[in-house]
Amino acid sequence: MVRVAIAGGSGQVSREVIDALLASGKHDITILSRREAPKRTSLAPEVQWQVVDYNDEKALVAALSGTHTLLSFVQILSDPDQRSQKNIINAAIAAGVKRFAPSEYGSKGTVDMAWWQGKEIIREYLKKVNEKGRVLEYTLFQPGLFLDYLAYPHKTSKYVDPLQTVFDFENRRAIVMEGHEDAVITLTTVADLAAIITRAVEYEGTWPATSGISGNRVTFSQVLEVGRKVRGSAFVIDKVKVEDLEARRLDVSWGLTAVHQAVSEDQASALLKAVSIGILLSSSKGAWDVSDEMNQLFPDFEFTAIEDFLMKVWEGKE
């Protein structure tokens, strides 16, 4: 059995991964969290819950003693200077952890997405600690955008809440950047991400520095065509110009309203607008066209197809 530690183990995506790891029956799991374990949660025998202070490196070293693989799901937005993740990395090295995955689980690039700049800080930090020779094996798990979000408002995973995107399947509408209808976006289900991470944890070879997970590599136009098929009619398209987006203007007939649980109410409105602008601009620059290292490493894995997934979600719904 491999001992796996999960930093930020009370979060939504991390809980999906924990369930997948437990289902394999091959791992002892330690959940590291700032919070006490929920009182109504009964932990499996293979799971330990440990309350930690991410500012206390000495205590983190003790908590990570004997850990083989450390997966971080620490919230980027709640750790602006990424001090928590840097401390986790330092403690992992000191504790002799073999493998580490930072809090990624999204796009390849972060251009035009200021809310994810913390990822760049950690990417650079990992390069720095390994610049004189590898002291910590690591990988960046990048599945693109969760396909589950195109099911909004319907929940399609056990823990991850539905969120809106520029593709509104419920109301058959979308926001597209004019002249960039063929921009590529990768869409992968939460379940497939969890399954691939579980396989990667069990993999005995060396992790690649980047672990792209390409569930569905599609263009904006192809997503809209899938939408037409599964929703029974063409989507109404709001087209926006690149120069307006670069000036942070979003002149459209509708906007996002569902906000991530980590975002405060006073930040919500500005962030939702920034997310729409950021996803559109960044997709035109290749940020969501993730690589496929995990597809190559596990060629027998069958990813959930976008049309099959969305047809199942939307069948019979108005």
Side-chain angles (χ1 to χ4, degrees):
M1 272 197 171
V2 169
R3 185 180 174 198
V4 182
I6 313 288
S10 61
Q12 294 180 1
V13 177
S14 63
R15 291 168 77 187
E16 300 282 354
V17 173
I18 290 167
D19 277 7
L21 288 167
L22 285 173
S24 75
K26 299 178 181 178
H27 311 291
D28 289 323
I29 297 171
T30 300
I31 295 174
L32 307 179
S33 178
R34 294 185 179 95
R35 309 171 186 170
E36 295 284 347
K39 292 181 180 178
R40 295 183 181 180
T41 301
S42 69
L43 299 176
E46 308 94 321
V47 178
Q48 293 182 337
W49 188 291
Q50 190 156 351
V51 177
V52 294
D53 178 357
Y54 291 126
N55 292 317
D56 187 342
E57 277 192 34
K58 187 176 180 180
L60 284 172
V61 172
L64 292 170
S65 177
T67 296
H68 179 276
T69 300
L70 171 59
L71 307 175
S72 175
F73 295 86
V74 171
Q75 269 293 341
I76 298 291
L77 287 171
S78 62
D79 189 22
D81 62 357
Q82 304 309 301
R83 175 48 51 194
S84 293
Q85 280 208 94
K86 287 180 180 178
N87 289 343
I88 290 168
I89 291 166
N90 295 341
I93 294 169
V97 172
K98 177 173 172 52
R99 289 170 162 173
F100 173 70
S103 191
E104 283 270 339
Y105 319 110
S107 61
K108 173 177 69 177
T110 61
V111 61
D112 294 308
M113 294 182 282
W115 65 93
W116 272 354
Q117 286 310 301
K119 294 185 179 184
E120 294 294 343
I121 294 173
I122 295 302
R123 291 175 187 181
E124 289 304 311
Y125 193 70
L126 285 166
K127 290 177 183 177
K128 181 179 178 181
V129 299
N130 286 294
E131 65 184 356
K132 294 182 180 179
R134 190 172 68 198
V135 296
L136 181 63
E137 183 180 325
Y138 72 90
T139 197
L140 314 177
F141 288 114
Q142 296 171 347
L145 189 69
F146 288 144
L147 178 55
D148 303 70
Y149 291 160
L150 272 58
Y152 181 90
H154 306 291
K155 191 167 184 174
T156 55
S157 64
K158 187 174 180 180
Y159 303 109
V160 175
D161 288 335
L163 283 179
Q164 293 166 298
T165 72
V166 294
F167 303 105
D168 183 356
F169 273 62
E170 181 186 24
N171 297 294
R172 300 176 177 86
R173 59 189 181 182
I175 304 171
V176 177
M177 194 159 65
E178 193 173 273
H180 293 275
E181 294 82 0
D182 289 332
V184 172
I185 187 164
T186 304
L187 297 163
T188 306
T189 65
V190 174
D192 285 352
L193 167 68
I196 287 293
I197 290 177
T198 298
R199 286 196 176 202
V201 168
E202 296 165 4
Y203 179 63
E204 295 182 358
T206 302
W207 277 354
T210 299
S211 288
I213 303 167
S214 186
N216 297 269
R217 183 180 182 273
V218 289
T219 65
F220 273 57
S221 294
Q222 288 172 326
V223 175
L224 294 174
E225 176 58 20
V226 170
R228 184 192 65 77
K229 289 180 181 179
V230 304
R231 297 297 282 136
S233 62
F235 281 30
V236 174
I237 309 298
D238 277 14
K239 289 201 173 184
V240 291
K241 297 182 182 297
V242 62
E243 54 266 31
D244 287 334
L245 296 179
E246 288 176 342
R248 295 302 181 258
R249 292 192 299 268
L250 187 64
D251 185 14
V252 290
S253 61
W254 63 282
L256 310 186
T257 56
V259 67
H260 192 278
Q261 61 169 359
V263 180
S264 62
E265 285 188 23
D266 59 329
Q267 293 177 312
S269 179
L271 183 59
L272 288 170
K273 177 182 176 182
V275 166
S276 297
I277 292 172
I279 287 177
L280 291 166
L281 282 174
S282 62
S283 63
S284 72
K285 300 172 184 177
W288 293 92
D289 186 7
V290 305
S291 51
D292 66 348
E293 288 84 357
M294 291 294 98
N295 301 60
Q296 294 181 44
L297 200 60
F298 307 115
D300 61 321
F301 185 82
E302 293 186 14
F303 286 94
T304 306
I306 179 173
E307 189 169 335
D308 294 342
F309 178 82
L310 292 173
M311 189 68 78
K312 186 175 179 180
V313 170
W314 291 105
E315 190 174 14
K317 297 181 176 69
E318 293 185 2

